[in-house]
Amino acid sequence: MPAHQQTKVTSILRSLCFMLGLLILIYVLSVGPVIAIFSYSSGYMSPDQIRLVNFLYAPLSWPAECSASYRDLFQSYVDLWLRLI
């Protein structure tokens, strides 16, 4: 493979890794605002919407059942958003 093609492939892979990392970061950071909005919209969400939100953010809430330090950090982050919204 010529050098310019190799640098192009490397550049594309680097961009994809950056975008994947950014998407993961946005997902993790979005849990606070989503839970805050979810808690203030009681009665406005259908059971299907509630199940979907619980399903989407379950990977972030499961570790809270096993780790007290993670639970405290998670709860502090959610409380911050509850105060902001």
Side-chain angles (χ1 to χ4, degrees), residues 4-63:
H4 70 282
Q5 284 183 337
Q6 188 173 3
T7 57
K8 188 175 181 178
V9 169
T10 303
S11 175
I12 290 171
L13 287 175
R14 189 177 300 138
S15 297
L16 287 174
C17 288
F18 175 76
M19 291 300 293
L20 180 62
L22 187 62
L23 287 173
I24 291 171
L25 180 66
I26 290 170
Y27 167 70
V28 169
L29 293 178
S30 71
V31 70
V34 168
I35 289 176
I37 292 168
F38 176 70
S39 67
Y40 288 126
S41 67
S42 61
Y44 298 110
M45 295 181 77
S46 71
D48 289 337
Q49 290 171 325
I50 293 170
R51 277 194 293 271
L52 178 64
V53 169
N54 287 334
F55 175 76
L56 289 176
Y57 288 101
L60 297 177
S61 62
W62 287 333

